[in-house]
Amino acid sequence: MISKNTIKYLSDLKKNNYKEWFDSNKSRYEEAKKEFEQFITSLIPLIAKFDKDIAGVTSKECLFRIYRDVRFSKDKTPYKTHLGAYIATCGRKSPFGGYYVHIEPGASFLAGGIYMPEPRILKAVREEIVENTEAFNKIISEKNYKSKFGELWGESLKTIPKGFPKDFKYPDLLKLKSYCPLVNLKDAEVLNPGYPDFVIESFKQMYPLNKFLNKIIHFALEENS
């Protein structure tokens, strides 16, 4: 479970995003981190019941660091004001479709699929969508999936990418740079006792899309190895 203490800590961090405050509140950070890590640990075996690729993944592999890389950013605040974990084969750095948990006061969400994949993977996914349009549309138009996630989330190109049919019936599917189902959550929903069950149910609804994507990704990586 995610507690009010974690939400409050992240809210306070957003207002005091500098090293001195962070260091003086290090124990609060450690408690929030421990709670989130335990939560992710509890999710993994439940996800593995319907997605066997997740079996054996550890929470340590999935959790993102709270420290920001500010080397090339105009924003020099040193810390992220959220907690995030990507549950996928090989963890947070995985090229495969997985399950993302994001905890941030007023901006929490759950997501899946693939986010900004490398060019060879993106190209392979687009090619598969052209070849198996009906199968892909069946996944993203399933009633319960559509009701919860709506349209796939992410940036899009303005035109169909080079090398793909200009008369493709669903051009927006080829313009996408990411293939992510996403559901935004209020703090009250994250703190609700039913939140863990909601997470698992949401990820279970994402699984068919991940299965579709990961089959393509496996092939693309093997072909280029």
Side-chain angles (χ1 to χ4, degrees):
M1 282 295 297
I2 304 300
S3 70
K4 290 182 179 179
N5 290 339
T6 291
I7 297 294
K8 182 64 166 62
Y9 168 74
L10 292 171
S11 180
D12 290 344
L13 175 59
K14 189 172 184 178
K15 299 171 186 174
N16 303 278
N17 199 332
Y18 53 91
K19 188 176 187 301
E20 291 77 11
W21 186 91
F22 184 85
D23 288 346
S24 65
N25 288 269
K26 193 68 176 289
S27 62
R28 292 179 66 194
Y29 163 65
E30 294 295 345
E31 288 175 8
K33 179 184 176 184
K34 182 179 179 181
E35 180 180 272
F36 187 60
E37 185 171 355
Q38 289 175 338
F39 180 64
I40 299 303
T41 297
S42 72
L43 294 180
I44 291 171
L46 298 177
I47 297 171
K49 288 183 178 181
F50 55 83
D51 187 343
K52 294 180 180 179
D53 289 342
I54 302 304
V57 175
T58 67
S59 57
K60 186 176 181 180
E61 294 174 305
C62 301
L63 267 64
F64 289 95
R65 287 163 49 87
I66 200 166
Y67 306 97
R68 294 183 63 248
D69 184 350
V70 300
R71 291 174 299 172
F72 308 107
S73 174
K74 292 181 180 180
D75 179 3
K76 298 300 180 182
T77 50
Y79 309 105
K80 300 171 186 174
T81 55
H82 65 268
L83 296 173
Y86 187 55
I87 305 169
T89 304
C90 303
R92 62 185 175 275
K93 296 182 179 180
S94 176
F96 294 99
Y99 311 90
Y100 179 69
V101 180
H102 184 99
I103 303 296
E104 180 176 4
S108 296
F109 63 88
L110 301 172
I114 51 175
Y115 175 72
M116 300 296 282
E118 59 180 280
R120 60 175 170 167
I121 290 176
L122 184 56
K123 182 174 183 288
V125 169
R126 287 168 171 164
E127 288 173 344
E128 188 68 19
I129 289 173
V130 171
E131 290 295 320
N132 288 291
T133 309
E134 185 177 348
F136 186 76
N137 274 334
K138 184 177 180 181
I139 292 170
I140 63 172
S141 62
E142 192 275 329
K143 183 178 178 181
N144 293 327
Y145 171 100
K146 192 75 172 179
S147 175
K148 180 173 288 183
F149 306 120
E151 301 298 326
L152 289 166
W153 174 88
E155 295 181 11
S156 292
L157 299 170
K158 292 183 179 180
T159 60
I160 290 180
K162 185 178 180 181
F164 290 88
K166 301 299 181 182
D167 60 349
F168 184 61
K169 190 175 179 180
Y170 305 97
D172 289 345
L173 293 181
L174 301 183
K175 294 176 186 177
L176 287 167
K177 297 180 183 180
S178 301
Y179 292 85
C180 298
L182 182 147
V183 57
N184 291 303
L185 299 168
K186 298 177 181 178
D187 292 350
E189 293 174 298
V190 172
L191 297 174
N192 189 292
Y195 175 64
D197 290 337
F198 180 84
V199 173
I200 293 301
E201 182 59 30
S202 297
F203 287 165
K204 194 171 185 179
Q205 290 171 324
M206 295 177 187
Y207 171 64
L209 176 62
N210 280 344
K211 183 179 179 181
F212 180 95
L213 295 171
N214 286 341
K215 184 178 180 180
I216 303 162
I217 295 169
H218 273 293
F219 183 77
L221 294 178
E222 289 177 0
E223 191 176 45
N224 290 276
S225 62

